[in-house]
């Protein structure tokens, strides 16, 4: 019984990787998820940094 399931699963898996549209869709979804995670990390890092203190010209003298 396990051989039948494994064989059917391998057949479906091989069919998936042979279809270029499935590979392209997987690549697009992966890039989208990576971009969202990158933007979230970017927002967290620059949100935690404090802005530089402004020094007025009168205080320098």
């Amino acid at each position: 019984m396990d051989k039948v399931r494994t064989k059917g699963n391998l057949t479906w898996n091989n069919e998936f990787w042979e279809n270029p549209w499935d590979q392209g869709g997987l690549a697009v979804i992966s890039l989208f998820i990576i971009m969202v995670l990158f933007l979230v990390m970017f927002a967290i890092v620059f949100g935690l940094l404090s802005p530089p203190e402004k020094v007025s010209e009168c205080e320098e003298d």
Side-chain angles (χ1 to χ4, degrees), residues 2-54:
D2 289 334
K3 289 183 180 181
V4 174
R5 287 184 185 172
T6 305
K7 184 178 180 182
N9 190 14
L10 287 177
T11 303
W12 178 85
N13 196 10
N14 289 338
E15 289 176 3
F16 177 81
W17 290 112
E18 290 173 359
N19 188 350
W21 286 100
D22 290 336
Q23 292 177 354
L26 187 62
V28 168
I29 291 169
S30 300
L31 288 173
F32 179 76
I33 292 171
I34 290 169
M35 183 60 69
V36 168
L37 291 175
F38 175 75
L39 291 175
V40 168
M41 287 176 43
F42 185 82
I44 289 172
V45 167
F46 286 100
L48 293 176
L49 296 176
S50 61
E53 297 179 13
K54 294 182 179 179

